[in-house]
Amino acid sequence: MPLAAPDFARHFTPGNAFRDEEGDLGTLSVADGGELWLPTGRLVACDPMAYLGPDTQPPFHVGVAPGRYRLEAALVTWSPAGEPPPQGSPRPDLAALRLVVTQAPTASWELALRGGQRLEDLGPGELYGYGVDAGVGAFHDASAGRDFADREATRELLRAPFLADGYRHPGPYVLTGPRGSQVAVFQSGWGDGVYPTWVGRDAAGRVTCFLTDFFVVPPREGASA
């Protein structure tokens, strides 16, 4: 069986807490990430430093109606083992990011597939995901790549909000290209890796959201991150 989806309700319930392998306490919060315009309704998730441009990754097989969709970030702030909670606004880590399609409760999850990917080709515990080599991921519409053909200008655009903030917040930041296309850029959990995106569906099978998990929150209650 391919990798099973965790209970993502835990990620998006403010105040939920868990401990990592060192005993540090992680506490979850949920932040509004703005809206992302999908003029074709076909979503792409990728490492934008490598793939945002004319030769970007293919969109997911599952599409939605064209429109603007809200982004929500599940954030983790940390308290070291044996120490009191940090004061002020500590730097959070991004545990998961979802693109909200409807407000209906999610009843089931499936891995988001793209290109020639097939679930039957996965072995036990395996997954499909997008690789990150620059510590950031992105969501954008399938039509956006041509608006970011200037590679160096695109990389400067993607870095700008993190530099301006001193890398204190993982995003997402919704950025607009020269011709109006949008990209949501965000730090990828604890850094580089391969991260799966899941399609949520309601009880009637309609798409409720797309969600990338960065493996910051343990997959089940009581496990260590």
Side-chain angles (χ1 to χ4, degrees):
M1 290 287 291
L3 181 75
D7 177 9
F8 289 120
R10 295 178 55 229
H11 297 57
F12 287 89
T13 301
N16 269 0
F18 61 94
R19 292 194 181 275
D20 67 8
E21 293 179 349
E22 285 72 44
D24 295 345
L25 181 69
T27 302
L28 285 150
S29 61
V30 180
D32 179 10
E35 287 188 335
L36 180 65
W37 181 39
L38 298 183
T40 72
R42 305 302 303 279
L43 180 67
V44 175
C46 68
D47 175 342
M49 295 297 186
Y51 293 109
L52 180 58
D55 299 322
T56 191
Q57 298 291 290
F60 296 125
H61 295 173
V62 175
V64 294
R68 298 183 182 275
Y69 294 98
R70 185 165 52 86
L71 294 159
E72 288 184 340
L75 304 175
V76 178
T77 53
W78 296 96
S79 300
E83 296 184 15
Q87 301 298 310
S89 300
R91 182 194 178 282
D93 288 314
L94 182 62
L97 183 76
R98 67 181 175 188
L99 182 83
V100 179
V101 178
T102 75
Q103 295 299 322
T106 298
S108 64
W109 296 97
E110 64 192 53
L111 275 172
L113 305 177
R114 63 186 181 188
Q117 294 173 344
R118 304 186 309 164
L119 283 179
E120 53 264 38
D121 293 335
L122 292 176
E126 292 183 339
L127 60 84
Y128 289 118
Y130 57 93
V132 170
D133 257 343
V136 294
F139 283 172
H140 65 80
D141 188 80
S143 66
R146 60 179 178 269
D147 202 1
F148 297 95
D150 186 327
R151 179 71 67 186
E152 192 53 42
T154 296
R155 289 177 175 172
E156 289 183 10
L157 177 71
L158 295 170
R159 293 188 190 106
F162 299 109
L163 291 171
D165 186 53
Y167 286 87
R168 289 189 297 270
H169 196 279
Y173 296 100
V174 178
L175 309 175
T176 302
R179 298 173 182 82
S181 297
Q182 291 187 324
V183 56
V185 61
F186 39 86
Q187 293 180 32
S188 51
W190 288 326
D192 298 345
V194 177
Y195 300 107
T197 300
W198 298 86
V199 181
R201 293 187 183 272
D202 64 19
R206 294 179 291 258
V207 175
T208 60
C209 66
F210 293 87
L211 186 153
T212 294
D213 180 20
F214 294 109
F215 301 127
V216 174
V217 179
R220 60 188 183 280
E221 195 77 38
S224 297

